[in-house]
Amino acid sequence: MVFLNPVILASVLLLFAELCFAGTSAMVKHLTPEVPFFHLVFFRNLFAFLILIPWLIRKRHTAFRTTQLRLHIFRGIAGVGAMYLFFLVISQVSLAKATLVLLMAPFLIPVISYFWLKERISARLWFAISLGFFGVLIFLNPFSGPLPAVMLLAVLAAALAASTKTIIRQMASTESPSKIVFYFSFFATVVTAIPVIVDWQTLSLKLWLGVATMGLFAVLGQLTMTRAFSIAPPSQVGVFTYSSVLFAGLIGYLIWGEAFTWNMFLGSLIIIAAGYAAIRHSRGPSAASAPMPTSEPVVSAPARHDAKNKQS
């Protein structure tokens, strides 16, 4: 029997997970002309919550026991806001651009932690952060013409996503990763159900199949990423999370004919290099603030990586 090297296996699984997340975004873009995006946000959260039912059954009433209810609520508000904005942005711009801007979140986490948690940022990490933002600038190429106003919402989504990760860092000392994930999934499912109930739109069988496909991609990506980070640490394979922008670009080109230009490719390479530098930095003892990548607005939880902490 042939056994793959754990790092190679984890890398393959992570690439597959990112392909699934890109597929989730593609289904959101495909469905939004006929399905209100707030319906899609609700179903995305509902599918994530269903994964946690076995854990909820096992924990029963203790699942809700917490000393950090205020932070859970703040995290829920920021996370749901990020998801609403991200789904809205996907419907307005190319998949690659939406995914790319969301990947700014890991580079915002240390900055937020610096001002909020008073955590020190080393010179190497500042360099990685600066390089990451430079890559974003190259990718978006604002000098070729004005950027769509909706991209400001994408940046706001990234900032909110980064805020959720910073809040998680505060909770990590007293809350288990599973409880952090559970509280967000429960909060997000309940809150996003409200506009759906108020303004329900009947879906055809074809649309239901599309929604189910979106949920399947999201669940597969979530479970596969969890497995990947249980095999190898983020410091060794986390850089492959940045492959999401390449998958998104490929899907966007094949399905909608969205251009993926040389500056987008170059910008992606710079961002991947910056992400790799930040992840390598996180192996050191003073790297508490090092950003870990995630291509989902709030793929769930973590005290990083999100996926790793999604384990029950």
Side-chain angles (χ1 to χ4, degrees):
M1 190 174 197
V2 178
F3 293 94
L4 284 177
N5 179 289
V7 174
I8 295 177
L9 178 58
S11 300
V12 172
L13 289 173
L14 194 53
L15 286 170
F16 178 75
E18 292 306 322
L19 178 59
C20 288
F21 288 140
T24 302
S25 298
M27 289 307 302
V28 171
K29 189 176 186 67
H30 172 69
L31 291 168
T32 45
E34 298 181 80
V35 182
F37 77 93
F38 56 86
H39 279 52
L40 298 176
V41 172
F42 165 70
F43 286 117
R44 170 64 185 89
N45 285 305
L46 178 62
F47 283 117
F49 182 71
L50 292 177
I51 296 178
L52 294 171
I53 289 180
W55 179 85
L56 179 61
I57 294 174
R58 190 166 64 249
K59 293 295 183 179
R60 298 180 183 176
H61 63 280
T62 62
F64 289 91
R65 187 176 299 163
T66 180
T67 59
Q68 301 281 8
L69 182 59
R70 181 175 61 87
L71 289 179
H72 280 298
I73 293 175
F74 286 163
R75 193 244 169 165
I77 293 172
V80 169
M83 191 170 289
Y84 272 127
L85 290 174
F86 182 60
F87 277 36
L88 177 60
V89 169
I90 287 176
S91 68
Q92 303 294 320
V93 302
S94 70
L95 279 183
K97 285 186 177 180
T99 303
L100 182 282
V101 176
L102 189 66
L103 286 177
M104 290 173 58
F107 300 107
L108 292 172
I109 295 171
V111 178
I112 294 175
S113 297
Y114 176 80
F115 290 103
W116 187 355
L117 305 180
K118 309 304 180 184
E119 291 183 342
R120 185 180 65 85
I121 302 179
S122 68
R124 289 178 58 188
L125 187 51
W126 275 121
F127 172 76
I129 294 170
S130 300
L131 185 63
F133 281 112
F134 177 69
V136 171
L137 190 66
I138 295 296
F139 185 100
L140 296 178
N141 191 21
F143 307 108
S144 64
L147 290 175
V150 73
M151 293 304 292
L152 295 177
L153 297 181
V155 174
L156 179 57
L160 288 173
S163 297
T164 67
K165 310 309 186 277
T166 307
I167 293 171
I168 288 168
R169 292 181 59 78
Q170 282 194 291
M171 294 190 291
S173 61
T174 60
E175 301 288 88
S176 70
S178 295
K179 181 158 291 188
I180 293 174
V181 176
F182 166 73
Y183 256 97
F184 174 75
S185 294
F186 176 78
F187 178 91
T189 302
V190 171
V191 170
T192 58
I194 296 174
V196 174
I197 294 173
V198 171
D199 189 19
W200 171 254
Q201 175 176 308
T202 302
L203 305 180
S204 66
L205 176 60
K206 179 181 178 181
L207 293 178
W208 274 118
L209 289 175
V211 170
T213 301
M214 177 195 72
L216 178 62
F217 279 140
V219 169
L220 282 177
Q222 193 169 301
L223 295 178
T224 307
M225 186 166 63
T226 300
R227 180 58 178 161
F229 283 103
S230 71
I231 296 173
S235 60
Q236 293 184 310
V237 299
V239 69
F240 290 105
T241 302
Y242 291 94
S243 65
S244 58
V245 70
L246 300 178
F247 287 132
L250 179 61
I251 293 173
Y253 173 75
L254 293 176
I255 298 179
W256 291 283
E258 296 173 347
F260 195 83
T261 60
W262 69 268
N263 61 286
M264 296 171 74
F265 181 73
L266 178 59
S268 298
L269 292 181
I270 294 173
I271 293 167
I272 291 172
Y276 178 74
I279 293 170
R280 294 289 295 181
H281 173 275
S282 72
R283 303 177 73 174
S286 63
S289 298
M292 295 303 300
T294 172
S295 60
E296 282 267 279
V298 276
V299 68
S300 326
R304 262 316 91 157
H305 190 289
D306 281 45
K308 185 177 180 180
N309 293 326
K310 285 184 70 78
Q311 302 180 81
S312 298

